[in-house]
Amino acid sequence: MSLAEESLPLPLYTAAQVRELDARLIAAGTPGFELMQRAAHAAWRALRRRWPQAGEVTVLAGAGNNAGDGYLVAELARMAGWAVRVLAVGAVGKLAGDAATAHQAALAAGVAVEAWSGGAELRGVLVDGLLGTGFQGELRAPYAEAIARINGSGLPVLALDLPSGLHADNGLVAEQAVRADLTVSFIGLKLGLFTGDAPDWVGELVFDDLQADPQLLAAQACAALRLAGGALPQLAPRSRTAHKGLFGHVLVVGGDRGFGGAALLAAESALRAGAGLVSLATRGEHVAASLARRPEVMCVATDSTYQLPPLCAQADVLVVGPGLGQQAWGRSLLSAVAASARPQVWDADALNLLAAGALQLPADCVLTPHPGEAARLLGISTAEVQGDRPAAALALAQKYQAVVVLKGAGSLIAAPDGRLLLCDRGHPAIAGAGLGDVLAGLIGALRGQGLDAFAAAALAVWLHASAGQQLAVNGRGLAASDLIPTIRQLLEEHAPCLQ
């Protein structure tokens, strides 16, 4: 993991929560203009580190506090001897309060301020001080034009607090947003920097709390927490007299004809993540392949629903769905699993059959939908899920009274009581078949070793994403099974088997 990722704070806020925190800091004695100055200094330091030889800055300013930050960055650049000018996309006459003071400070320092026009020349490092967290709804003229010009310029771009056009609460880009190379976020990290469309627009992320009182930060409610290595659920070490019966018997149910690999991936993942025993209930045609690949997995040819209840009774955790299919065989096995009182992980076609409404989800389940499956479970479109991923994850957890892992960039773990975690690790190289099967088996193994549903889902998502990120240095072609040994290694580093 990179030091930059681990140095970021854990709490993630909505725009409203950050505004409330800002107001609390001002009420506690830090003037708003001083906070704005601190933000400008933080941004200027980051700009100098990233582009030390640039020598020229063009600030595009709106009409709110984000513009105020931009005017003060321009002042600092001017004082450092850089060529600098501000293109006022928002009318200068609309500036008020601290933003108006910042504008006057820039003028006093000799910064050239020009009204925006479509033909304005962009030069040097472009500083996005257009909208920040103030963006809501639709982009209006002339902001849409200015953002298009920024993105088409080919010049380096620094975004202040949040790329303009990106929604601070959910990472949605409705039309377009500033595509930043570097984003410097202030006071509190915004949830929308990490999920939805955000990974394609934020670039490198730098954070500065503007010297905020830690007690005030701790007192402010947040929308979610980031998963990070120092704050993950922990498996207990094993005693030297431990035996296999202490670490859970995971039963994987799935693998209809043509899909045996999915179920075997889940079973192998559970085994390698430390489950004491792993069984696999699958089509008889897949038994030989399972024994040849992984003889430690107890593979049972399961052609009838009546064979499943005894297998469920012997297990501690059930993982159902990988390669299950939606035909009669898969439907009958899922109905038998749903009747069991064991903790369960539902993935893939188990979720599609659940969405069809023919089954009642048992208690103590983890659901692991991708956005399309989440849309079917909620009865909405995939675009609506992606338009507000945090809301979709929480809605699923509430509807099904289950822990939900909403997969995708910025995977989310939601609990029925409103807790929300976000994993900002991962890599596009792990966008491939079988990765979800590995994750499902991993969650099952962690449940079998004593973690509750929320903790198991959180640790599994982090291990899975971290393994993918570590292996993706070699680029495309990463196979799902490639992750399993690396997950095992990361789990041992995080929670050593022996104390």
Side-chain angles (χ1 to χ4, degrees), residues 293-332:
R293 178 181 175 90
R294 188 54 62 205
E296 299 89 347
V297 172
M298 296 173 285
C299 191
V300 182
T302 308
D303 297 314
S304 167
T305 303
Y306 300 107
Q307 296 172 265
L308 205 51
L311 296 175
C312 292
Q314 295 170 8
D316 298 301
V317 182
L318 311 180
V319 177
V320 60
L324 185 69
Q326 299 183 52
Q327 303 306 310
W329 180 82
R331 293 197 304 271
S332 64

Side-chain angles (χ1 to χ4, degrees), residues 33 48 121 124 133 143 176 187 200 241 257 277 326 362 430:
F33 187 68
R48 290 289 297 267
E121 184 181 2
T133 58
Y143 290 96
Q176 61 179 331
I187 300 182
D200 287 332
T241 56
R257 293 186 181 96
L277 296 161
Q326 299 183 52
I430 63 174

Side-chain angles (χ1 to χ4, degrees), residues 367 369-371 374 385 389-390 392-393 396 404-408 410-413:
L367 308 182
H370 59 56
V385 169
R389 286 171 52 82
L396 280 169
V404 170
V405 175
L406 179 55
K407 295 181 288 196
S411 289
L412 294 158
I413 302 97

Side-chain angles (χ1 to χ4, degrees), residues 234-240 242 246-247 449 492 495-499:
Q234 197 83 13
L235 281 180
R238 298 185 175 186
S239 72
R240 294 186 180 275
L246 297 176
F247 306 114
Q449 293 172 83
E492 178 61 19
C497 190
L498 282 174
Q499 203 160 24

Side-chain angles (χ1 to χ4, degrees), residues 138-443:
E138 299 179 358
L139 285 173
R140 298 182 177 87
Y143 290 96
E145 179 190 35
I147 290 173
R149 287 285 312 283
I150 291 171
N151 291 341
S153 69
L155 296 171
V157 179
L158 164 68
L160 298 174
D161 208 21
L162 186 85
S164 294
L166 183 71
H167 198 292
D169 295 350
N170 53 41
L172 175 67
V173 174
E175 301 167 51
Q176 61 179 331
V178 168
R179 194 177 294 275
D181 299 292
L182 174 66
T183 297
V184 185
S185 190
F186 311 122
I187 300 182
L189 287 173
K190 291 75 188 170
L191 178 56
L193 288 166
F194 296 94
T195 193
D197 300 316
D200 287 332
W201 302 87
V202 171
E204 178 191 353
L205 179 61
V206 172
F207 173 73
D208 195 293
D209 65 6
L210 307 189
Q211 305 167 44
D213 183 344
Q215 290 185 331
L216 278 176
L217 290 173
Q220 174 61 50
C222 63
L225 292 172
R226 239 178 21 92
L227 284 172
L232 292 170
Q234 197 83 13
L235 281 180
R238 298 185 175 186
S239 72
R240 294 186 180 275
T241 56
H243 58 83
K244 64 187 177 185
L246 297 176
F247 306 114
H249 183 170
V250 176
L251 171 64
V252 176
V253 180
D256 200 354
R257 293 186 181 96
F259 301 104
L264 184 52
L265 279 170
E268 185 172 354
S269 176
L271 183 74
R272 288 298 195 176
L277 296 161
V278 179
S279 294
L280 171 59
T282 190
R283 284 283 195 181
E285 295 92 324
H286 302 140
V287 172
S290 175
L291 292 174
R293 178 181 175 90
R294 188 54 62 205
E296 299 89 347
V297 172
M298 296 173 285
C299 191
V300 182
T302 308
D303 297 314
S304 167
T305 303
Y306 300 107
Q307 296 172 265
L308 205 51
L311 296 175
C312 292
Q314 295 170 8
D316 298 301
V317 182
L318 311 180
V319 177
V320 60
L324 185 69
Q326 299 183 52
Q327 303 306 310
W329 180 82
R331 293 197 304 271
S332 64
L333 264 58
L334 185 60
S335 65
V337 170
S340 172
R342 296 288 191 263
Q344 301 181 22
V345 181
W346 285 37
D347 183 42
D349 278 323
L351 301 175
N352 292 323
L353 291 170
L354 177 63
L359 293 160
Q360 183 71 34
L361 187 72
D364 200 12
C365 276
V366 178
L367 308 182
T368 60
H370 59 56
E373 292 160 347
R376 289 187 282 276
L377 288 165
L378 288 172
I380 59 179
S381 69
T382 303
E384 288 174 293
V385 169
Q386 291 295 84
D388 197 336
R389 286 171 52 82
L394 290 167
L396 280 169
Q398 185 63 36
K399 178 177 179 178
Y400 290 100
Q401 288 299 293
V403 170
V404 170
V405 175
L406 179 55
K407 295 181 288 196
S411 289
L412 294 158
I413 302 97
D417 61 8
R419 286 176 293 167
L420 187 64
L421 299 173
L422 181 142
C423 180
D424 57 342
R425 299 184 67 76
H427 192 281
I430 63 174
L435 274 297
D437 306 317
V438 171
L439 177 62
L442 176 56
I443 296 171

Side-chain angles (χ1 to χ4, degrees), residues 476-499:
R476 298 173 177 83
L478 184 66
S481 57
D482 295 340
L483 265 68
I484 294 174
T486 303
I487 288 171
R488 183 186 178 204
Q489 173 193 336
L490 289 171
L491 180 56
E492 178 61 19
E493 292 172 1
H494 170 69
C497 190
L498 282 174
Q499 203 160 24

